[in-house]
Amino acid sequence: MLAAQRRRWLAKISSARSATVITLIHRQETFSFLGLPLVRHIDIDDAESVLRAIRETPSGRPIEIILHTPGGLVLAASQIAIALADHEGTVTAVVPHYAMSGGTLIALAADEIVIDRHAALGPVDPQLGQYPAASILAAIERPGQHQDETLIYGDVAWKAMRQVQDLVAQLLERQMSPDRAEDVASLLSRGTWTHDHPLMASDLEAFGLPIKIGVGDEERELMELYPQPRGRQSAVEYFGAPGTPPGLPPGRERPRRPKPPRPSGSR
């Protein structure tokens, strides 16, 4: 029933926007199976599905991709980003809450990024296993002997950073001068911040990215149809103005039936 609701709501947004609407939503960031934590992230299956949706979108038809993800495989995110950048039509990335790492890479491929004031993108510096590539290179630069394995990791880390920086610069050159694109790409890909550092709307505007602040009601309603796993107890409750009932944040209770989108199609 929930899947059917999502499909109907996607159809309504698509009609209101006159666009192909794609979701890449990892709402259940962490859950467990037999007591072992499992993590949802951008993977090859996601890339195949998104590429299919892009491929089936006629030339000239806009695409809106709704992102809510902690990131994932560089390969998968890169494939999606390049395909979106190559699409003959306007591409809009909508970020209701966050799109980190690979999610940011995908957002950078859009002609416009619609983001809430307190939503966030993040750095795209590559990670090698549990270590940031930039930190591996910083360790190698310290004086003293280094094991061969560390030096090999350093070589891979340098290549990974260069590859990601080149791709980001390529994506950004559609929005800004090549020199500025290279500067922003270096800032985002070379470990300037920790990998989970939030880049808010004001930061993104300062970079010169095509930001529009304020996610539409339709996309907010859609997010309510991606609840957390059953049995997870919310740590947050709230109480509004006098006379209104207490409640839980969207998506923590039984999903309610969304209202039809406004016919105007405005955000």
Side-chain angles (χ1 to χ4, degrees):
M1 290 178 61
L2 192 59
Q5 281 185 295
R6 291 171 180 168
R7 295 298 300 174
R8 288 195 297 269
W9 196 238
L10 280 172
K12 291 177 181 179
I13 298 177
S14 176
S15 177
R17 302 282 187 258
S18 298
T20 296
V21 180
I22 306 169
T23 61
L24 188 54
I25 298 175
H26 298 129
R27 183 65 152 177
Q28 301 174 19
E29 289 89 355
T30 59
F31 60 102
S32 63
F33 178 70
L34 298 179
L36 301 176
L38 302 176
V39 180
R40 298 284 304 276
H41 59 268
I42 303 170
D43 58 20
I44 294 300
D45 287 341
D46 290 331
E48 289 181 2
S49 298
V50 175
L51 291 180
R52 184 182 308 113
I54 297 171
R55 186 168 57 248
E56 294 178 0
T57 300
S59 178
R61 180 175 173 82
I63 288 178
E64 175 177 312
I65 183 164
I66 302 171
L67 299 169
H68 180 86
T69 177
L73 295 178
V74 173
L75 170 59
S78 298
Q79 286 182 295
I80 295 171
I82 293 171
L84 288 172
D86 288 344
H87 176 65
E88 295 292 338
T90 302
V91 175
T92 302
V94 178
V95 184
H97 183 61
Y98 81 146
M100 305 296 285
S101 189
T104 295
L105 187 63
I106 294 170
L108 295 178
D111 299 296
E112 181 179 58
I113 303 172
V114 179
I115 187 170
D116 268 348
R117 172 67 65 181
H118 299 105
L121 300 184
V124 295
D125 55 305
Q127 311 292 294
L128 300 182
Q130 60 180 322
Y131 301 117
S135 296
I136 295 174
L137 293 177
I140 290 177
E141 291 174 358
R142 293 179 179 273
Q145 295 293 321
H146 300 288
Q147 295 181 351
D148 290 346
E149 184 178 6
T150 303
L151 296 175
I152 292 171
Y153 266 110
D155 179 63
V156 176
W158 183 87
K159 292 175 181 176
M161 288 178 59
R162 183 71 253 177
Q163 289 165 189
V164 171
Q165 182 176 338
D166 288 346
L167 175 57
V168 173
Q170 175 187 334
L171 296 174
L172 293 179
E173 283 179 6
R174 301 172 307 116
Q175 309 287 350
M176 57 188 71
S177 69
D179 288 344
R180 179 59 177 164
E182 190 67 32
D183 289 342
V184 175
S186 177
L187 196 65
L188 292 175
S189 64
R190 289 189 168 268
T192 307
W193 307 277
T194 58
H195 195 61
D196 63 350
H197 177 69
L199 299 174
M200 313 300 283
S202 57
D203 301 314
L204 304 176
E205 288 178 320
F207 296 158
L209 297 178
I211 300 298
K212 179 178 179 181
I213 298 175
V215 171
D217 292 339
E218 295 86 351
E219 288 82 1
R220 291 180 184 279
E221 296 282 359
L222 177 67
M223 290 299 297
E224 294 189 29
L225 298 178
Y226 290 83
Q228 294 289 359
R230 290 181 179 272
R232 174 172 173 175
Q233 179 66 40
S234 174
V236 179
E237 296 182 72
Y238 63 87
F239 190 88
T244 60
L248 296 174
R252 301 300 195 266
E253 294 182 315
R254 183 179 60 185
R256 61 187 178 86
R257 185 181 298 277
K259 301 184 296 293
R262 294 189 300 271
S264 63
S266 61
R267 297 196 182 281

